Amino acid sequence: MAKLISGIVLLCCSMLLCAQQTTDNVAQDTVAQPESELTEGFELLKDLPTKNQIPLFDNRFRVDDNVKEITLLMFRRRGSASVVLVQPDGSKLYFNRAEKNNIRWHDASSYDLIEIKNPMPGPWQAVGRLLPGSRIMLLSDIKLHVDPLPDNLMVGETVKITARLTNGDEPINAREFRDVLALEVIFVSTNKAEYDNFGRGVVQVANFRDDGKGYDERARDGVFTGEFQLRYVAGEWTPKYMVRTPLYTREVEQAPVVLRPAPIVADIVASPALESETPGQEVELQPHQLVFRITDDSINASTLLLQGRVRYPNGEVGEFALNEPEITPKQLQLHNRGHGNYILEVQAFGTMLDGREFMLSLPEISFVVKRQVFEAPVLEELPQHIKDQIAAENAPPEPEFPWGLVIFANIFILGGGGLAIWMVLNDKKIVDLMFWRKKPASSTATTNKADTKAASTDKNKPDAQKNNDMDDILDLTLPDD
Protein backbone atom coordinates (compact mmCIF):
# COMPACT_ATOMS: atom_id res chain seq x y z
CA MET A 1 0.00 0.00 0.00
CA ALA A 2 2.80 2.36 0.88
CA LYS A 3 4.47 1.56 -2.45
CA LEU A 4 1.23 2.32 -4.28
CA ILE A 5 0.83 5.69 -2.56
CA SER A 6 4.43 6.62 -3.24
CA GLY A 7 3.99 5.67 -6.91
CA ILE A 8 0.92 7.89 -7.23
CA VAL A 9 2.78 10.79 -5.63
CA LEU A 10 5.71 10.34 -8.01
CA LEU A 11 3.33 10.19 -10.97
CA CYS A 12 1.62 13.42 -9.95
CA CYS A 13 4.95 15.17 -9.49
CA SER A 14 6.13 14.08 -12.89
CA MET A 15 2.89 15.33 -14.48
CA LEU A 16 3.27 18.70 -12.79
CA LEU A 17 6.87 18.97 -13.98
CA CYS A 18 5.85 18.09 -17.52
CA ALA A 19 3.03 20.65 -17.46
CA GLN A 20 5.39 23.31 -16.12
CA GLN A 21 7.95 22.47 -18.77
CA THR A 22 5.30 22.63 -21.49
CA THR A 23 4.10 26.02 -20.24
CA ASP A 24 7.67 27.35 -20.18
CA ASN A 25 8.25 26.11 -23.73
CA VAL A 26 5.05 27.77 -24.99
CA ALA A 27 6.00 31.03 -23.26
CA GLN A 28 9.51 30.87 -24.75
CA ASP A 29 8.06 30.22 -28.23
CA THR A 30 5.68 33.17 -27.84
CA VAL A 31 8.51 35.44 -26.68
CA ALA A 32 10.81 34.22 -29.42
CA GLN A 33 8.21 34.95 -32.06
CA PRO A 34 8.74 38.40 -33.61
CA GLU A 35 6.26 40.91 -32.32
CA SER A 36 5.71 42.34 -35.82
CA GLU A 37 4.60 38.93 -37.05
CA LEU A 38 1.95 38.76 -34.36
CA THR A 39 0.70 42.25 -35.10
CA GLU A 40 0.66 41.76 -38.86
CA GLY A 41 -0.92 38.31 -38.80
CA PHE A 42 -4.66 37.70 -38.81
CA GLU A 43 -5.74 37.83 -35.23
CA LEU A 44 -9.20 38.03 -33.76
CA LEU A 45 -9.84 41.01 -31.50
CA LYS A 46 -11.12 40.44 -27.99
CA ASP A 47 -14.37 42.32 -28.52
CA LEU A 48 -15.69 39.94 -31.21
CA PRO A 49 -19.09 38.42 -30.33
CA THR A 50 -18.65 35.18 -28.44
CA LYS A 51 -21.46 33.41 -30.24
CA ASN A 52 -19.54 33.83 -33.52
CA GLN A 53 -16.24 32.59 -32.08
CA ILE A 54 -15.26 28.98 -31.58
CA PRO A 55 -12.32 28.61 -29.18
CA LEU A 56 -9.61 26.24 -30.32
CA PHE A 57 -8.78 23.50 -27.89
CA ASP A 58 -5.97 21.57 -29.49
CA ASN A 59 -7.12 23.13 -32.81
CA ARG A 60 -10.51 21.46 -32.40
CA PHE A 61 -14.02 22.87 -32.70
CA ARG A 62 -17.51 21.43 -32.81
CA VAL A 63 -20.35 21.83 -35.31
CA ASP A 64 -23.93 21.23 -34.21
CA ASP A 65 -26.18 18.88 -36.09
CA ASN A 66 -28.70 21.57 -37.07
CA VAL A 67 -26.20 23.76 -38.98
CA LYS A 68 -27.00 23.89 -42.71
CA GLU A 69 -24.06 26.04 -43.77
CA ILE A 70 -20.93 27.42 -42.11
CA THR A 71 -18.28 29.89 -43.21
CA LEU A 72 -14.97 29.51 -41.39
CA LEU A 73 -12.42 32.28 -41.12
CA MET A 74 -9.17 30.93 -39.69
CA PHE A 75 -6.12 33.12 -39.11
CA ARG A 76 -2.63 31.66 -39.48
CA ARG A 77 0.94 32.82 -39.78
CA ARG A 78 1.57 34.96 -42.86
CA GLY A 79 2.97 32.97 -45.75
CA SER A 80 2.22 29.56 -44.23
CA ALA A 81 0.38 26.80 -46.09
CA SER A 82 -3.40 26.65 -45.99
CA VAL A 83 -4.95 24.64 -43.18
CA VAL A 84 -6.24 21.08 -43.48
CA LEU A 85 -9.65 20.29 -41.99
CA VAL A 86 -10.22 16.90 -40.37
CA GLN A 87 -13.90 15.93 -40.31
CA PRO A 88 -15.50 13.98 -37.45
CA ASP A 89 -15.21 10.71 -39.41
CA GLY A 90 -11.47 11.21 -39.89
CA SER A 91 -11.58 12.26 -43.56
CA LYS A 92 -9.57 15.33 -44.54
CA LEU A 93 -10.44 18.41 -46.57
CA TYR A 94 -7.67 20.13 -48.57
CA PHE A 95 -7.56 23.45 -50.39
CA ASN A 96 -6.62 21.88 -53.74
CA ARG A 97 -9.52 19.42 -53.49
CA ALA A 98 -12.19 21.88 -52.42
CA GLU A 99 -14.05 21.92 -55.75
CA LYS A 100 -14.40 18.14 -55.78
CA ASN A 101 -16.05 18.31 -52.36
CA ASN A 102 -18.34 21.25 -53.35
CA ILE A 103 -16.53 23.57 -50.96
CA ARG A 104 -15.70 27.23 -51.63
CA TRP A 105 -12.23 27.92 -50.31
CA HIS A 106 -10.26 31.16 -50.52
CA ASP A 107 -6.59 30.80 -49.60
CA ALA A 108 -4.97 34.13 -48.70
CA SER A 109 -1.45 34.79 -47.42
CA SER A 110 -2.49 34.81 -43.78
CA TYR A 111 -6.01 33.42 -43.50
CA ASP A 112 -8.39 30.81 -44.95
CA LEU A 113 -12.00 31.65 -45.77
CA ILE A 114 -14.00 28.43 -46.21
CA GLU A 115 -17.68 27.93 -46.95
CA ILE A 116 -19.12 24.46 -46.32
CA LYS A 117 -22.70 23.45 -46.95
CA ASN A 118 -24.31 20.72 -44.83
CA PRO A 119 -21.21 20.23 -42.65
CA MET A 120 -20.78 16.93 -40.86
CA PRO A 121 -21.89 17.37 -37.23
CA GLY A 122 -19.41 16.58 -34.55
CA PRO A 123 -15.86 17.49 -33.56
CA TRP A 124 -13.66 19.00 -36.28
CA GLN A 125 -9.94 19.70 -36.20
CA ALA A 126 -7.84 22.29 -38.07
CA VAL A 127 -4.26 21.34 -38.91
CA GLY A 128 -2.00 24.28 -39.70
CA ARG A 129 0.21 27.02 -38.28
CA LEU A 130 -2.60 28.90 -36.58
CA LEU A 131 -1.58 31.91 -34.54
CA PRO A 132 -1.17 31.41 -30.76
CA GLY A 133 -4.38 32.20 -28.98
CA SER A 134 -6.23 32.34 -32.29
CA ARG A 135 -9.89 31.46 -32.52
CA ILE A 136 -11.98 30.27 -35.39
CA MET A 137 -14.51 32.88 -36.45
CA LEU A 138 -17.80 31.38 -37.59
CA LEU A 139 -19.52 33.70 -40.10
CA SER A 140 -23.14 32.73 -39.92
CA ASP A 141 -25.30 35.85 -40.17
CA ILE A 142 -23.60 38.53 -42.31
CA LYS A 143 -25.67 41.68 -42.80
CA LEU A 144 -25.03 45.11 -44.32
CA HIS A 145 -26.72 48.15 -42.76
CA VAL A 146 -26.66 51.55 -44.53
CA ASP A 147 -28.15 54.81 -43.32
CA PRO A 148 -30.72 56.18 -45.79
CA LEU A 149 -29.86 59.15 -47.99
CA PRO A 150 -31.74 62.46 -47.64
CA ASP A 151 -34.75 62.99 -49.87
CA ASN A 152 -33.87 66.52 -51.04
CA LEU A 153 -30.53 65.86 -52.77
CA MET A 154 -29.02 68.40 -55.18
CA VAL A 155 -26.58 68.19 -58.08
CA GLY A 156 -23.09 69.03 -56.85
CA GLU A 157 -23.89 68.26 -53.21
CA THR A 158 -21.36 66.38 -51.05
CA VAL A 159 -23.07 63.55 -49.18
CA LYS A 160 -21.78 61.57 -46.21
CA ILE A 161 -22.79 57.93 -45.78
CA THR A 162 -22.42 55.45 -42.94
CA ALA A 163 -22.59 51.67 -43.41
CA ARG A 164 -22.04 48.77 -41.00
CA LEU A 165 -21.18 45.15 -41.73
CA THR A 166 -22.29 42.88 -38.90
CA ASN A 167 -22.02 39.20 -38.07
CA GLY A 168 -24.77 38.16 -35.72
CA ASP A 169 -25.73 41.82 -35.04
CA GLU A 170 -22.15 42.61 -34.00
CA PRO A 171 -19.58 44.50 -36.13
CA ILE A 172 -16.94 42.53 -38.03
CA ASN A 173 -13.70 44.16 -37.02
CA ALA A 174 -11.07 41.48 -37.48
CA ARG A 175 -7.76 43.29 -37.63
CA GLU A 176 -6.48 42.40 -41.11
CA PHE A 177 -9.74 41.19 -42.58
CA ARG A 178 -10.52 44.82 -43.46
CA ASP A 179 -8.17 44.46 -46.44
CA VAL A 180 -10.73 42.28 -48.23
CA LEU A 181 -13.80 44.25 -47.15
CA ALA A 182 -14.77 47.18 -49.36
CA LEU A 183 -18.03 49.09 -49.66
CA GLU A 184 -19.02 49.92 -53.23
CA VAL A 185 -21.65 52.60 -53.93
CA ILE A 186 -23.48 52.80 -57.27
CA PHE A 187 -26.44 54.76 -58.59
CA VAL A 188 -28.86 53.11 -61.04
CA SER A 189 -31.12 55.25 -63.19
CA THR A 190 -34.84 54.47 -62.91
CA ASN A 191 -35.12 55.26 -66.66
CA LYS A 192 -38.19 57.43 -66.40
CA ALA A 193 -38.75 59.59 -69.45
CA GLU A 194 -39.79 62.65 -67.44
CA TYR A 195 -36.31 62.96 -65.87
CA ASP A 196 -33.06 64.13 -67.43
CA ASN A 197 -31.20 60.93 -66.47
CA PHE A 198 -33.34 58.75 -68.71
CA GLY A 199 -31.15 56.03 -70.23
CA ARG A 200 -28.08 56.87 -68.11
CA GLY A 201 -27.76 53.30 -66.78
CA VAL A 202 -25.36 52.66 -63.89
CA VAL A 203 -22.96 55.23 -62.38
CA GLN A 204 -20.01 54.23 -60.18
CA VAL A 205 -20.16 56.62 -57.23
CA ALA A 206 -17.50 55.66 -54.68
CA ASN A 207 -15.55 52.85 -52.99
CA PHE A 208 -14.73 52.84 -49.27
CA ARG A 209 -12.73 50.69 -46.83
CA ASP A 210 -12.75 50.37 -43.05
CA ASP A 211 -9.07 51.31 -42.78
CA GLY A 212 -9.14 54.77 -41.17
CA LYS A 213 -7.89 56.43 -44.36
CA GLY A 214 -9.52 59.04 -46.54
CA TYR A 215 -12.99 59.84 -45.21
CA ASP A 216 -13.16 56.78 -42.93
CA GLU A 217 -13.28 58.01 -39.33
CA ARG A 218 -11.80 55.05 -37.44
CA ALA A 219 -10.10 51.89 -38.60
CA ARG A 220 -11.43 48.43 -37.76
CA ASP A 221 -14.56 49.70 -36.07
CA GLY A 222 -16.86 47.80 -38.41
CA VAL A 223 -18.26 51.10 -39.74
CA PHE A 224 -17.69 52.41 -43.25
CA THR A 225 -17.82 56.20 -43.36
CA GLY A 226 -17.23 58.21 -46.48
CA GLU A 227 -18.16 61.21 -48.60
CA PHE A 228 -18.89 61.54 -52.30
CA GLN A 229 -20.01 64.36 -54.55
CA LEU A 230 -23.15 64.08 -56.65
CA ARG A 231 -21.77 65.34 -59.95
CA TYR A 232 -24.34 63.51 -62.03
CA VAL A 233 -27.33 64.37 -64.19
CA ALA A 234 -30.43 65.44 -62.31
CA GLY A 235 -33.18 62.86 -62.14
CA GLU A 236 -34.36 59.83 -60.22
CA TRP A 237 -31.70 57.34 -59.07
CA THR A 238 -31.74 54.11 -57.06
CA PRO A 239 -28.81 53.88 -54.56
CA LYS A 240 -27.14 50.49 -54.19
CA TYR A 241 -24.45 49.45 -51.71
CA MET A 242 -22.37 46.28 -52.00
CA VAL A 243 -19.72 44.58 -49.89
CA ARG A 244 -17.80 41.85 -51.70
CA THR A 245 -15.52 39.17 -50.24
CA PRO A 246 -13.93 36.21 -52.02
CA LEU A 247 -16.88 34.00 -50.99
CA TYR A 248 -19.97 36.15 -50.47
CA THR A 249 -21.57 39.44 -51.41
CA ARG A 250 -23.98 41.56 -49.43
CA GLU A 251 -26.14 44.18 -51.16
CA VAL A 252 -28.53 46.85 -49.93
CA GLU A 253 -30.87 48.66 -52.31
CA GLN A 254 -32.60 51.75 -50.99
CA ALA A 255 -35.68 53.56 -52.20
CA PRO A 256 -35.18 55.81 -55.26
CA VAL A 257 -34.12 59.40 -54.60
CA VAL A 258 -34.60 62.44 -56.81
CA LEU A 259 -31.50 64.48 -57.59
CA ARG A 260 -32.54 68.08 -58.26
CA PRO A 261 -30.60 70.77 -60.15
CA ALA A 262 -28.53 73.23 -58.12
CA PRO A 263 -30.97 75.69 -56.47
CA ILE A 264 -28.59 78.67 -56.57
CA VAL A 265 -28.03 80.73 -59.72
CA ALA A 266 -25.91 83.81 -60.40
CA ASP A 267 -27.19 86.93 -62.17
CA ILE A 268 -24.26 88.72 -63.84
CA VAL A 269 -24.00 92.42 -64.60
CA ALA A 270 -20.73 92.87 -66.51
CA SER A 271 -19.22 96.32 -66.88
CA PRO A 272 -17.60 97.27 -70.21
CA ALA A 273 -13.83 97.13 -70.55
CA LEU A 274 -13.18 100.81 -71.34
CA GLU A 275 -9.98 101.83 -73.08
CA SER A 276 -8.52 105.29 -73.33
CA GLU A 277 -8.53 106.89 -76.73
CA THR A 278 -5.29 108.65 -75.81
CA PRO A 279 -2.31 106.31 -75.33
CA GLY A 280 -0.91 106.34 -71.80
CA GLN A 281 -4.06 107.76 -70.22
CA GLU A 282 -5.65 105.55 -67.52
CA VAL A 283 -9.39 104.91 -67.43
CA GLU A 284 -11.25 104.01 -64.24
CA LEU A 285 -13.00 100.63 -64.73
CA GLN A 286 -16.23 99.77 -62.96
CA PRO A 287 -16.35 96.38 -61.16
CA HIS A 288 -18.53 93.51 -62.34
CA GLN A 289 -21.59 92.65 -60.23
CA LEU A 290 -22.79 89.10 -59.41
CA VAL A 291 -25.99 88.48 -57.47
CA PHE A 292 -26.59 84.93 -56.17
CA ARG A 293 -30.25 84.08 -56.12
CA ILE A 294 -31.95 81.05 -54.44
CA THR A 295 -34.54 79.29 -56.60
CA ASP A 296 -35.70 76.70 -54.03
CA ASP A 297 -37.93 77.67 -51.12
CA SER A 298 -36.74 74.68 -49.06
CA ILE A 299 -33.40 76.46 -48.35
CA ASN A 300 -33.06 78.85 -45.45
CA ALA A 301 -31.70 81.91 -47.29
CA SER A 302 -30.34 83.54 -44.14
CA THR A 303 -27.94 80.61 -43.55
CA LEU A 304 -26.37 80.65 -47.01
CA LEU A 305 -22.58 81.14 -47.14
CA LEU A 306 -20.50 81.32 -50.31
CA GLN A 307 -16.82 81.02 -51.04
CA GLY A 308 -14.72 80.29 -54.07
CA ARG A 309 -12.17 81.61 -56.50
CA VAL A 310 -12.16 83.49 -59.78
CA ARG A 311 -9.80 83.23 -62.74
CA TYR A 312 -9.32 86.55 -64.53
CA PRO A 313 -8.60 87.01 -68.26
CA ASN A 314 -4.96 87.87 -67.58
CA GLY A 315 -4.38 84.54 -65.80
CA GLU A 316 -4.55 85.81 -62.23
CA VAL A 317 -6.53 83.80 -59.64
CA GLY A 318 -8.35 85.46 -56.76
CA GLU A 319 -10.41 84.16 -53.85
CA PHE A 320 -13.58 85.51 -52.31
CA ALA A 321 -15.94 84.73 -49.43
CA LEU A 322 -19.46 85.92 -48.72
CA ASN A 323 -19.94 84.84 -45.13
CA GLU A 324 -21.97 87.72 -43.72
CA PRO A 325 -25.01 86.23 -41.98
CA GLU A 326 -28.52 87.49 -42.52
CA ILE A 327 -27.56 89.33 -45.74
CA THR A 328 -29.70 88.30 -48.68
CA PRO A 329 -29.26 88.15 -51.55
CA LYS A 330 -25.51 87.63 -51.69
CA GLN A 331 -23.72 90.13 -53.92
CA LEU A 332 -20.15 89.88 -55.21
CA GLN A 333 -18.09 92.60 -56.84
CA LEU A 334 -15.29 91.43 -59.12
CA HIS A 335 -12.33 93.49 -60.24
CA ASN A 336 -12.59 94.61 -63.85
CA ARG A 337 -9.43 93.31 -65.51
CA GLY A 338 -10.40 94.28 -69.04
CA HIS A 339 -11.86 92.22 -71.85
CA GLY A 340 -11.72 88.42 -71.82
CA ASN A 341 -13.21 85.41 -70.05
CA TYR A 342 -13.99 85.34 -66.30
CA ILE A 343 -14.44 81.90 -64.66
CA LEU A 344 -15.78 81.32 -61.12
CA GLU A 345 -15.79 78.19 -58.95
CA VAL A 346 -18.27 78.59 -56.09
CA GLN A 347 -19.07 76.47 -53.03
CA ALA A 348 -22.24 77.02 -51.04
CA PHE A 349 -22.94 76.10 -47.41
CA GLY A 350 -26.33 76.35 -45.80
CA THR A 351 -29.23 74.72 -43.99
CA MET A 352 -32.50 73.40 -45.31
CA LEU A 353 -35.75 74.39 -43.65
CA ASP A 354 -35.98 70.88 -42.20
CA GLY A 355 -32.64 71.43 -40.40
CA ARG A 356 -30.40 69.41 -42.72
CA GLU A 357 -27.10 71.10 -43.46
CA PHE A 358 -25.57 70.85 -46.93
CA MET A 359 -22.36 71.58 -48.80
CA LEU A 360 -22.82 72.28 -52.49
CA SER A 361 -20.45 72.90 -55.41
CA LEU A 362 -22.21 75.09 -57.95
CA PRO A 363 -21.75 74.56 -61.69
CA GLU A 364 -18.94 76.62 -63.18
CA ILE A 365 -19.92 80.25 -63.73
CA SER A 366 -18.32 82.14 -66.62
CA PHE A 367 -18.93 85.29 -68.64
CA VAL A 368 -17.09 87.14 -71.40
CA VAL A 369 -16.35 90.86 -71.56
CA LYS A 370 -15.82 92.05 -75.14
CA ARG A 371 -13.25 94.59 -76.27
CA GLN A 372 -14.47 98.17 -76.52
CA VAL A 373 -15.33 99.27 -80.07
CA PHE A 374 -14.63 102.89 -81.17
CA GLU A 375 -16.61 104.63 -83.91
CA ALA A 376 -14.60 105.39 -87.01
CA PRO A 377 -14.08 109.14 -87.70
CA VAL A 378 -15.86 110.80 -90.62
CA LEU A 379 -13.78 110.81 -93.80
CA GLU A 380 -14.10 114.56 -94.46
CA GLU A 381 -12.56 115.33 -91.08
CA LEU A 382 -9.40 113.33 -91.75
CA PRO A 383 -6.18 115.09 -92.76
CA GLN A 384 -5.41 115.24 -96.45
CA HIS A 385 -2.43 112.90 -96.32
CA ILE A 386 -4.55 110.25 -94.60
CA LYS A 387 -7.25 110.68 -97.24
CA ASP A 388 -4.63 110.27 -99.97
CA GLN A 389 -3.32 107.17 -98.25
CA ILE A 390 -6.83 105.67 -97.94
CA ALA A 391 -7.58 106.55 -101.59
CA ALA A 392 -4.33 104.91 -102.66
CA GLU A 393 -5.16 101.79 -100.67
CA ASN A 394 -8.69 101.61 -102.07
CA ALA A 395 -7.66 102.37 -105.68
CA PRO A 396 -8.00 99.43 -108.07
CA PRO A 397 -4.68 97.79 -108.78
CA GLU A 398 -3.00 98.58 -112.14
CA PRO A 399 -3.02 95.75 -114.67
CA GLU A 400 0.23 93.88 -114.89
CA PHE A 401 2.33 93.85 -118.08
CA PRO A 402 1.50 90.74 -120.17
CA TRP A 403 4.94 89.20 -120.17
CA GLY A 404 3.64 85.78 -121.07
CA LEU A 405 1.91 87.02 -124.21
CA VAL A 406 5.01 88.88 -125.35
CA ILE A 407 7.22 85.84 -124.87
CA PHE A 408 4.74 83.61 -126.72
CA ALA A 409 4.54 86.08 -129.69
CA ASN A 410 8.33 86.22 -129.98
CA ILE A 411 8.63 82.46 -129.95
CA PHE A 412 5.93 82.20 -132.65
CA ILE A 413 7.65 84.75 -134.87
CA LEU A 414 11.07 83.10 -134.53
CA GLY A 415 9.62 79.68 -135.18
CA GLY A 416 7.68 80.81 -138.28
CA GLY A 417 10.71 82.60 -139.72
CA GLY A 418 12.95 79.61 -139.21
CA LEU A 419 10.44 77.32 -140.94
CA ALA A 420 10.14 79.63 -143.95
CA ILE A 421 13.93 79.78 -144.39
CA TRP A 422 14.15 75.97 -144.23
CA MET A 423 11.47 75.54 -146.93
CA VAL A 424 13.25 77.95 -149.27
CA LEU A 425 16.61 76.27 -148.86
CA ASN A 426 15.18 72.78 -149.42
CA ASP A 427 12.80 73.74 -152.23
CA LYS A 428 9.81 72.60 -150.19
CA LYS A 429 6.24 73.61 -150.53
CA ILE A 430 3.62 73.95 -147.90
CA VAL A 431 1.89 70.89 -149.33
CA ASP A 432 4.99 68.84 -148.57
CA LEU A 433 4.56 69.60 -144.94
CA MET A 434 1.11 68.02 -144.93
CA PHE A 435 2.39 64.50 -144.38
CA TRP A 436 -0.96 63.27 -143.25
CA ARG A 437 -2.51 63.73 -146.68
CA LYS A 438 -2.28 60.88 -149.32
CA LYS A 439 -1.38 61.55 -152.94
CA PRO A 440 -4.20 61.09 -155.56
CA ALA A 441 -4.30 57.79 -157.54
CA SER A 442 -4.37 59.51 -161.00
CA SER A 443 -1.19 61.36 -160.30
CA THR A 444 0.34 58.10 -159.16
CA ALA A 445 -0.68 56.33 -162.38
CA THR A 446 0.60 59.22 -164.48
CA THR A 447 3.80 59.06 -162.59
CA ASN A 448 4.04 55.31 -163.19
CA LYS A 449 3.38 55.76 -166.96
CA ALA A 450 5.97 58.45 -167.13
CA ASP A 451 8.38 56.19 -165.37
CA THR A 452 7.53 53.31 -167.75
CA LYS A 453 7.98 55.56 -170.80
CA ALA A 454 11.19 56.81 -169.44
CA ALA A 455 12.32 53.25 -168.90
CA SER A 456 11.42 52.23 -172.47
CA THR A 457 13.16 55.25 -173.78
CA ASP A 458 16.15 54.24 -171.82
CA LYS A 459 16.02 50.75 -173.36
CA ASN A 460 15.95 52.11 -176.91
CA LYS A 461 18.77 54.43 -176.30
CA PRO A 462 21.57 51.91 -177.18
CA ASP A 463 20.10 51.17 -180.63
CA ALA A 464 19.64 54.78 -181.39
CA GLN A 465 23.13 55.40 -180.34
CA LYS A 466 24.23 52.56 -182.53
CA ASN A 467 22.38 53.98 -185.54
CA ASN A 468 23.86 57.30 -184.90
CA ASP A 469 27.23 55.77 -184.79
CA MET A 470 26.69 54.07 -188.12
CA ASP A 471 25.60 57.28 -189.67
CA ASP A 472 28.82 58.80 -188.64
CA ILE A 473 30.91 56.38 -190.84
CA LEU A 474 32.31 58.17 -193.91
CA ASP A 475 31.41 56.87 -197.34
CA LEU A 476 34.73 56.78 -199.24
CA THR A 477 33.48 55.24 -202.51
CA LEU A 478 34.10 57.27 -205.74
CA PRO A 479 31.40 57.92 -208.26
CA ASP A 480 31.58 56.14 -211.69
CA ASP A 481 31.99 59.26 -213.59
Side-chain angles (χ1 to χ4, degrees):
M1 188 68 179
K3 291 181 179 181
L4 180 60
I5 293 173
S6 62
I8 293 174
V9 172
L10 290 174
L11 179 61
C12 293
C13 293
S14 61
M15 291 176 63
L16 290 174
L17 290 175
C18 291
Q20 182 66 32
Q21 185 176 1
T22 303
T23 305
D24 295 341
N25 292 337
V26 172
Q28 290 177 1
D29 293 341
T30 304
V31 174
Q33 181 184 359
E35 185 179 352
S36 59
E37 214 174 278
L38 289 175
T39 57
E40 294 178 0
F42 278 80
E43 183 177 283
L44 200 62
L45 299 181
K46 296 180 180 180
D47 56 349
L48 280 176
T50 56
K51 65 180 181 180
N52 287 311
Q53 299 181 53
I54 302 178
L56 284 176
F57 297 104
D58 220 1
N59 288 358
R60 294 179 181 272
F61 60 96
R62 186 177 185 85
V63 178
D64 297 335
D65 57 355
N66 59 352
V67 177
K68 301 299 182 182
E69 180 180 343
I70 62 171
T71 303
L72 302 176
L73 176 60
M74 292 180 287
F75 307 111
R76 48 181 168 77
R77 294 181 185 272
R78 186 176 296 275
S80 60
S82 58
V83 300
V84 178
L85 293 178
V86 182
Q87 300 187 90
D89 62 353
S91 59
K92 300 177 180 60
L93 300 178
Y94 299 91
F95 164 69
N96 55 2
R97 302 178 188 175
E99 293 183 3
K100 297 180 180 179
N101 297 318
N102 295 325
I103 297 175
R104 300 176 65 190
W105 195 317
H106 177 71
D107 174 30
S109 61
S110 53
Y111 71 93
D112 288 280
L113 187 59
I114 309 167
E115 183 183 76
I116 305 174
K117 294 183 179 180
N118 298 319
M120 185 181 300
W124 289 60
Q125 185 173 7
V127 180
R129 300 188 64 187
L130 299 181
L131 292 176
S134 177
R135 296 187 176 192
I136 291 179
M137 184 176 179
L138 179 62
L139 304 178
S140 59
D141 189 15
I142 306 298
K143 293 182 180 179
L144 178 63
H145 310 271
V146 184
D147 295 344
L149 291 174
D151 296 331
N152 46 2
L153 293 176
M154 300 169 287
V155 175
E157 183 177 357
T158 300
V159 180
K160 181 179 179 180
I161 63 168
T162 302
R164 299 170 182 84
L165 189 65
T166 61
N167 179 27
D169 297 330
E170 295 293 338
I172 298 177
N173 50 13
R175 185 171 190 176
E176 296 296 334
F177 194 52
R178 67 177 186 271
D179 293 337
V180 297
L181 293 179
L183 176 64
E184 182 180 1
V185 185
I186 62 174
F187 275 14
V188 182
S189 173
T190 57
N191 285 332
K192 293 184 178 180
E194 61 268 24
Y195 293 105
D196 296 338
N197 67 334
F198 176 73
R200 292 288 177 170
V202 180
V203 174
Q204 184 76 29
V205 177
N207 198 300
F208 304 107
R209 291 184 180 274
D210 184 22
D211 55 2
K213 299 179 181 178
Y215 293 105
D216 189 55
E217 295 178 355
R218 288 181 295 275
R220 304 188 314 276
D221 59 351
V223 181
F224 297 88
T225 54
E227 294 181 358
F228 56 88
Q229 196 172 41
L230 299 174
R231 289 192 173 274
Y232 312 110
V233 180
E236 190 177 57
W237 299 89
T238 300
K240 278 191 175 183
Y241 308 88
M242 293 178 291
V243 171
R244 304 178 189 271
T245 68
L247 293 187
Y248 62 84
T249 300
R250 293 293 182 268
E251 295 186 7
V252 171
E253 180 176 317
Q254 295 180 342
V257 295
V258 177
L259 189 62
R260 300 175 300 170
I264 303 174
V265 297
D267 297 329
I268 304 171
V269 180
S271 299
L274 301 177
E275 297 181 4
S276 175
E277 299 181 4
T278 305
Q281 182 180 0
E282 295 183 358
V283 177
E284 184 179 356
L285 301 178
Q286 298 296 324
H288 307 297
Q289 301 286 337
L290 276 80
V291 179
F292 293 93
R293 179 168 44 87
I294 298 177
T295 60
D296 192 345
D297 295 336
S298 62
I299 296 178
N300 188 351
S302 62
T303 63
L304 183 63
L305 305 177
L306 300 174
Q307 72 172 11
R309 61 179 183 175
V310 56
R311 186 179 299 275
Y312 293 99
N314 57 1
E316 296 182 5
V317 177
E319 297 182 352
F320 65 88
L322 302 177
N323 54 358
E324 299 85 357
E326 305 297 334
I327 296 180
T328 56
K330 303 293 183 182
Q331 296 185 4
L332 174 65
Q333 292 189 354
L334 290 181
H335 295 291
N336 193 336
R337 301 294 172 85
H339 64 275
N341 195 15
Y342 293 75
I343 302 175
L344 287 86
E345 299 175 1
V346 184
Q347 283 188 327
F349 305 86
T351 306
M352 312 292 289
L353 293 179
D354 58 3
R356 184 178 73 87
E357 297 183 354
F358 65 87
M359 181 176 65
L360 181 68
S361 294
L362 299 182
E364 185 178 83
I365 302 172
S366 63
F367 62 94
V368 179
V369 177
K370 297 182 179 180
R371 184 190 293 269
Q372 183 183 5
V373 178
F374 295 99
E375 294 184 0
V378 182
L379 185 63
E380 287 75 13
E381 298 178 359
L382 294 176
Q384 187 61 36
H385 67 280
I386 297 180
K387 292 181 180 180
D388 297 340
Q389 183 179 357
I390 295 176
E393 292 177 355
N394 296 331
E398 296 181 359
E400 298 182 356
F401 188 79
W403 291 104
L405 182 61
V406 172
I407 294 173
F408 176 76
N410 291 332
I411 293 175
F412 180 76
I413 294 172
L414 293 176
L419 180 62
I421 295 172
W422 177 78
M423 293 177 64
V424 171
L425 293 178
N426 292 276
D427 195 15
K428 296 288 184 179
K429 298 179 179 179
I430 296 177
V431 179
D432 296 335
L433 298 178
M434 301 180 182
F435 57 86
W436 60 87
R437 291 190 177 182
K438 295 182 179 180
K439 294 181 179 181
S442 58
S443 61
T444 304
T446 305
T447 304
N448 292 337
K449 290 180 180 180
D451 294 342
T452 304
K453 185 176 181 180
S456 61
T457 305
D458 292 340
K459 290 180 181 179
N460 296 329
K461 280 182 181 182
D463 297 336
Q465 184 67 29
K466 185 176 180 180
N467 293 334
N468 293 335
D469 292 342
M470 292 178 63
D471 291 341
D472 292 340
I473 298 175
L474 296 177
D475 187 5
L476 299 179
T477 60
L478 295 175
D480 291 339
D481 297 335

